[in-house]
Amino acid sequence: MSFRRPAFIVRRTAFLVTTALTVTFGCPAAHAEPISRFYVFGDSSSDVGSEGFARRPTNLGPSWSEAFGSRIGQTSTPAFARTLDAGFTLIDQRLIGGNNHAVNGATAVPYPGISSFGEQIDAFAAAQGRFGRSDLVFTWFTRNDITTGFFGAGYDRKAYVETYVAQIARLRGLGARNLVAVGAEVHLLPERLLLDAGVPTALIETLKIETNASEAALWPRLAASGVYVLDLNRLAEDVRSNPRKYGFMSTTDGYQGRGLNDGVPSQLRPGDGNVFTEDGHYTSAMQTVVSDFFFAQLRARDQFRTILLQSGQAFRRDAQAMSDVVRAGFADRASTGSRRVSGPWRVYGTISGVADTQPSAGGTDVRLGTANATFVAGIDHATDGTWLVGARAALTGSRGTFAENAGQTSREAALFSTYAAGRVLPDLRVHAAAHYGIADFGKIERRAALGPALERAEGRTSGDHVAAEIGAAYSRHIVGGWVAEVRGTSAYERTGIAAYREAPSVLSLAYGSSAYSSVLGTVGLRIERDAPDGVIRLRIPTMSAVGSDFMSAAGSD
């Protein structure tokens, strides 16, 4: 929505009413609306105490979902209260209203006596019914399907993938639009703990191989359905290779409390520089690093959308500035910066600079501030006082900075336009314009803190913009010196960015091509009255709603 300032000019009094009609299209795969609520489905990697605080799968301190919730001003509390007997057999389970449905030991494929993905969705449907439009939904099931299958009836990779995909479809059916799936890392396993428990090295390697194979089969299916897939492997590998960078002393070769026989349970041990607790889950320190990683990768998606939107809006502003001149017909041909070169021909040029701020697109994003410098040059021709035709080029360079030290951008762009305006009848004027723009994003940098570590990712890409507009205005004298004018415009625009891949780093991501498209329409009414001694022209704000949608191949690290 844009507003034109009231203009006070002697000789007329006018008022204007404009309605904007918008049609949008596209395949929305990523939404950056403010997160109203977030939900978690999964296993012990996400369980925040379904069996009581003493059985939380981390030591005292936040789990990843609790840390993430605090980043967006929300909480993560158990959806279930479960009671188990001494043999770990479930005695009772009841819903207690939390947003975290993850349960220790849960699997995607149903197994007797084990909480499953489908049962968690059933419980959500019974308690909440449906997701809101701007809810964020995490799913994180690690290796329980594989290990349960190994020690049971056998593991069926195809059944695992098909079941997972079917449950995602159920979440979609309940209204989930912003879905994030987390992969099970294999580069950071509690190997020392497994060896101490008597697990053969060969079985550990088999577990890694099967985890990789299962995710290689699952992730493309999730991405194809618009799920944002987060891969922890790059982070896990960096933590294992550089533990001190993240504040750890021991990774795969140790775990919390190893070698101590004091009987103190894992829950009561403070963070001691280890990645793993006594039962093989992440300590709170590592949970915080994981939460920071999730937040950074979600913000990356929203930042990318903000860059795309700001690019399209910059092209639109440039096109609208020119279209305003065209709609005005010949009145602006004497404007500053232009000169007549031969009879009806005119050339013009301007140089300008402006600072602009793109508000947060929502989600986890922050606002993007830019400094822009633009050079405009054009030429047009007036034909026998009835038609105006011309061409124009606008070159822009911009540098942007995300708030909260979250990254920087640079962009060079060019917009080429052709236009025409004329009077086809004494009371009827028409105009048309076509635009083609290209943009080079020489730098898209992201920064994030992962625990005590500071990480950055950087890439570059290019984009384009096409737009066309046609319009007409019909005016008639009515009575008493009053003039009524009805005007309307329709326009199409599309802004796209090519496939994008960041240089290798802990945070690096790759995206398919992205675009947003709009069909815009406006209808306006102006009434003016001539006065013998002058005019006051008063314009009320003109609303120009912009319809846009975001299309993207699902991003994954």
Side-chain angles (χ1 to χ4, degrees), residues 221-304:
R221 297 281 300 277
L222 296 181
S225 65
V227 177
Y228 193 56
V229 181
L230 298 181
D231 180 10
L232 276 174
N233 266 314
R234 193 177 295 111
L235 172 65
E237 188 172 14
D238 199 52
V239 170
R240 186 182 64 174
S241 302
N242 306 285
R244 292 181 182 273
K245 169 181 171 183
Y246 296 90
F248 299 113
M249 302 294 291
S250 298
T251 56
T252 58
D253 58 344
Y255 51 92
Q256 189 182 56
R258 184 181 178 215
L260 298 177
N261 297 311
D262 55 9
V264 177
S266 175
Q267 277 293 301
L268 300 181
R269 296 189 185 281
D272 58 356
N274 283 284
V275 167
F276 296 105
T277 63
E278 292 175 350
D279 59 1
H281 295 97
Y282 287 152
T283 59
S284 288
M286 184 60 189
Q287 296 259 353
T288 299
V289 172
V290 169
S291 172
D292 290 344
F293 177 79
F294 290 170
F295 188 86
Q297 301 304 65
L298 284 170
R299 172 170 281 180
R301 180 183 64 178
D302 297 339
Q303 284 178 306
F304 195 67

Side-chain angles (χ1 to χ4, degrees), residues 36-54:
S36 58
R37 295 169 298 182
F38 83 106
Y39 295 90
V40 180
F41 298 85
D43 54 25
S44 57
S45 296
S46 305
D47 190 339
V48 291
S50 67
E51 297 165 17
F53 186 78

